Amino acid sequence: MVFVGLLFAFAAAEEEAPVCQILGSPEIPLLSKGGDVTIGGAFSIHSKIAQPPLSFTVKPTRLTCSSVNLREFRFAQIMIFAIEEINKSDVLLPNVSIGYRIYDNCGSTLSSMRAVMALMNGDELTTGKSCSGQSAVHAIIGESESSSTIVLSRTTGPFKIPVISHSATCECLSNRKEYPSFFRTIASDLYQSRALTQLVKHFGWTWVGAVNSDSDYGNNGMAIFLAAAQEEGVCFEYTEKFHREEPEKLMKVVEVIRKSTARVIVAFLAHVEMNNLLEQLSLHNITGRQFIGVEAWITADSLVTPTSFTVLGGSLGFAVQKANISGLDEFLTKDFWQGEFKCKEGHNNSITGAAPCKENHNLTELKYYNDDVTELRYSGNIYKAIYAVAYSLHSMLKCSQSQGCDRTVKVTPWQAVESLKQVNFTTKNGEQVWFDSTGAAVALYEVVNWQRGSDGSVHFKPVGYYDASLPPGKKFFLKNDAIMWPGGNTEANMLTKSHT
Ligand SMILES: *[C@@H]1O[C@H](CO)[C@@H](O)[C@H](O)[C@H]1NC(C)=O
Ligand SMILES: *[C@@H]1O[C@H](CO)[C@@H](O)[C@H](O)[C@H]1NC(C)=O
Ligand SMILES: *[C@@H]1O[C@H](CO)[C@@H](O)[C@H](O)[C@H]1NC(C)=O
């Protein structure tokens, strides 16, 4: 709706500049701060949404979201952390302040669409002047899942507004014709699928089962893996898929696994589906399988429960490298709550820069939650994405440490896209960041293994790596004797014996 309003105003602007007005109610960001330049964010901070009844006789009420997702909330916090760090620095973007506008899409594409519109159009009911046609943000960070990132990039693509995802890995997003302004600080699954093939081949497993999420992520990733693995002579006893909203299909998959003879299962699942599968396997006491996992779930803390180790112990899979960002702990547990998280009592649709308190009450409870700070992986990708935007703006605004930046330069979104293609910088912990011709980062994964520590806690032990930048034959490395197999075995024998 907002969209139509914007297009109409473009057409009319040449004649007599009408007042620019948003149709419907403005969407207020969950977290925001003004600045000379603004970076947008879209995350699933809540994971459930309640649709108000649509009787079409009264104006629908606001969508209400519930069930906070800590991992996604951390993404928003890290985005703010990086922005503040750059804002304070006088090397990068001196004399330019950076603002942000972060929306919660509550895990729904409908809500996602509203967030994208708001990011592009701003949330002022009326600007009091003609529409400038200028996006309210210079770049958008998000989203986490491939399917929602596709919605986001398809919508912003025609306006050439850069989108940088920290975790959407679908190979489908590498298509430059369809997604001309998409970037990611993570590699395409083209590499992960190849790496999975190397892993399966390494142990000589030729009789395996495969399960994937029925989504862009799972279907594309599995297709590439199947093709590569079959070329290497791997046979598949079954290839099954299900979606989080298909409980009957999930039960069918569980039945297939229960009856199967293949001991090795390659699970190309998003963490929501992995969680659903895990619940059922635990419930039916189906254990003794060797799971091979992907970055989406292999290091997901939410899967570690008192009973999950009997199913997933010994799992092997590829993980995004751990982030080591100094000063972050302090920010997450203290500064953020003192400085950034402000909400406003009562509903008010005018621009306030603060989300209503009542609806976001559950977020304040996260204040005391800091156990997961050591397992931050995608967070490093958010950090790199923000810096990439900052470096691109730094060059567009012709900044120098002595002269400052030229704040009169008007930055258009397509210039930002071109500038992002050129960035090449080193983060403060020594990582080189640049985008390849598809807009993605170079593939570098850690191989991790689900092990139990002496204190009984589950940890994701690094046992190797896959580095696509190294020459053939050197890309994949595995430390065999560091691996703990399902059931606590120190040898893989019981798995290879099941070849038929
Ligand atoms: C950036 O710095 C300016 C000036 O010091 C300050 O007013 C603003 O609040 C800062 N913004 C953020 C996001 O830290
Ligand atoms: C909303 O905020 C505006 C500006 O702060 C104020 O004038 C208005 O009375 C508020 N409306 C409600 C319903 O609180
Ligand atoms: C990025 O910079 C590094 C160090 O200056 C250089 O080695 C590398 O080749 C550059 N990469 C690209 C793609 O330009």
Side-chain angles (χ1 to χ4, degrees):
M1 286 175 289
V2 181
F3 214 44
V4 175
L6 184 69
L7 291 178
F8 168 73
F10 271 149
E14 302 224 324
E15 293 160 22
E16 58 165 41
V19 167
C20 189
Q21 189 169 350
I22 280 178
L23 294 177
S25 324
E27 290 283 306
I28 301 160
L30 181 67
L31 296 157
S32 69
K33 193 164 205 174
D36 299 327
V37 292
T38 311
I39 305 179
F43 307 106
S44 286
I45 295 168
H46 289 86
S47 52
K48 289 204 178 106
I49 197 162
Q51 178 103 30
L54 293 173
S55 63
F56 300 103
T57 54
V58 289
K59 191 173 168 185
T61 53
R62 287 168 63 97
L63 302 167
T64 45
C65 301
S66 59
S67 193
V68 184
N69 182 333
L70 179 68
R71 185 156 149 163
E72 296 276 322
F73 183 61
R74 287 277 183 253
F75 296 156
Q77 288 180 300
I78 282 139
M79 177 167 162
I80 296 172
F81 171 80
I83 288 176
E84 282 193 4
E85 195 174 79
I86 296 164
N87 200 35
K88 282 188 206 126
S89 138
D90 47 14
V91 179
L92 195 54
L93 292 173
N95 77 343
V96 172
S97 67
I98 316 178
Y100 52 85
R101 306 167 62 81
I102 300 174
Y103 283 87
D104 179 4
N105 64 37
C106 302
S108 117
T109 42
L110 173 67
S111 196
S112 224
M113 201 66 194
R114 296 175 76 119
V116 185
M117 293 300 174
L119 282 167
M120 295 199 297
N121 294 335
D123 57 10
E124 287 164 81
L125 198 50
T126 159
T127 59
K129 49 185 192 281
S130 65
C131 294
S132 63
Q134 185 78 23
S135 159
V137 291
H138 292 84
I140 300 171
I141 310 299
E143 299 204 11
S144 300
E145 292 207 78
S146 292
S147 295
S148 45
T149 307
I150 289 169
V151 172
L152 174 62
S153 311
R154 278 207 194 279
T155 314
T156 56
F159 303 95
K160 301 279 193 300
I161 298 166
V163 168
I164 310 181
S165 175
H166 52 289
S167 82
T169 54
C170 184
E171 164 61 11
C172 55
L173 284 160
S174 291
N175 186 334
R176 264 329 202 188
K177 284 205 182 82
E178 284 190 53
Y179 306 101
S181 60
F182 176 71
F183 296 86
R184 48 183 154 191
T185 47
I186 194 163
S188 151
D189 281 335
L190 182 63
Y191 299 95
Q192 181 165 225
S193 296
R194 284 182 189 163
L196 282 169
T197 308
Q198 293 278 312
L199 183 64
V200 170
K201 192 177 134 190
H202 178 89
F203 293 110
W205 293 328
T206 50
W207 183 239
V208 304
V211 183
N212 68 271
S213 291
D214 193 358
S215 65
D216 295 295
Y217 172 70
N219 291 333
N220 281 275
M222 185 54 85
I224 300 169
F225 167 68
L226 285 179
Q230 276 160 351
E231 215 162 277
E232 295 290 344
V234 177
C235 300
F236 290 88
E237 183 181 7
Y238 56 86
T239 56
E240 293 290 332
K241 60 182 170 184
F242 69 98
H243 184 263
R244 58 196 70 164
E245 277 149 28
E246 297 176 326
E248 317 78 48
K249 226 158 171 191
L250 167 62
M251 292 318 295
K252 193 190 144 224
V253 174
V254 171
E255 199 45 32
V256 168
I257 294 176
R258 201 179 61 77
K259 289 192 179 141
S260 66
T261 58
R263 297 279 113 183
V264 177
I265 304 176
V266 177
F268 217 116
L269 297 167
H271 73 113
V272 181
E273 276 94 11
M274 189 63 206
N275 196 36
N276 297 350
L277 179 64
L278 172 64
E279 268 174 23
Q280 291 305 320
L281 295 179
S282 296
L283 197 67
H284 294 88
N285 204 16
I286 301 171
T287 61
R289 268 35 176 211
Q290 170 67 51
F291 271 92
I292 303 298
V294 285
E295 96 307 334
W297 68 263
I298 199 76
T299 60
D301 280 322
S302 57
L303 298 178
V304 179
T305 67
T307 56
S308 63
F309 199 77
T310 56
V311 177
L312 292 182
S315 290
L316 280 168
F318 295 95
V320 171
Q321 287 234 309
K322 239 182 210 179
N324 180 12
I325 306 170
S326 57
L328 188 58
D329 288 16
E330 175 90 355
F331 177 81
L332 294 181
T333 51
K334 199 164 133 238
D335 302 353
F336 175 81
W337 301 101
Q338 289 175 351
E340 309 303 322
F341 192 72
K342 294 196 188 82
C343 53
K344 197 178 156 75
E345 291 300 339
H347 287 263
N348 197 325
N349 268 344
S350 68
I351 182 157
T352 58
C357 282
K358 218 164 139 201
E359 286 163 32
N360 297 293
H361 178 70
N362 50 9
L363 290 180
T364 53
E365 287 162 18
L366 299 180
K367 187 172 175 177
Y368 305 102
Y369 198 96
N370 62 359
D371 327 358
D372 71 325
V373 175
T374 53
E375 266 307 322
L376 296 172
R377 289 178 188 265
Y378 293 104
S379 304
N381 292 348
I382 299 256
Y383 186 80
K384 287 187 243 176
I386 298 289
Y387 268 84
V389 176
Y391 275 100
S392 74
L393 287 165
H394 187 86
S395 99
M396 285 186 287
L397 299 176
K398 304 186 172 61
C399 305
S400 72
Q401 217 167 328
S402 51
Q403 308 274 303
C405 305
D406 180 356
R407 298 201 295 187
T408 60
V409 175
K410 201 139 178 69
V411 175
T412 63
W414 66 265
Q415 283 171 326
V417 171
E418 288 311 310
S419 179
L420 274 168
K421 288 181 184 168
Q422 311 300 326
V423 295
N424 184 1
F425 62 93
T426 314
T427 62
K428 68 178 177 189
N429 53 357
E431 280 184 79
Q432 195 74 28
V433 180
W434 51 275
F435 300 104
D436 69 15
S437 62
T438 70
V442 181
L444 174 59
Y445 305 99
E446 204 169 75
V447 182
V448 300
N449 180 214
W450 277 50
Q451 298 193 0
R452 216 196 262 290
S454 48
D455 60 349
S457 67
V458 173
H459 56 248
F460 313 126
K461 187 170 179 195
V463 294
Y465 61 78
Y466 182 91
D467 183 346
S469 68
L470 297 177
K474 293 235 156 70
K475 294 182 200 290
F476 183 60
F477 169 79
L478 207 53
K479 206 161 169 267
N480 286 347
D481 56 6
I483 299 172
M484 193 59 87
W485 301 94
N489 295 336
T490 48
E491 285 173 51
N493 281 350
M494 65 140 272
L495 298 162
T496 41
K497 255 190 254 157
S498 67
H499 286 179
T500 52

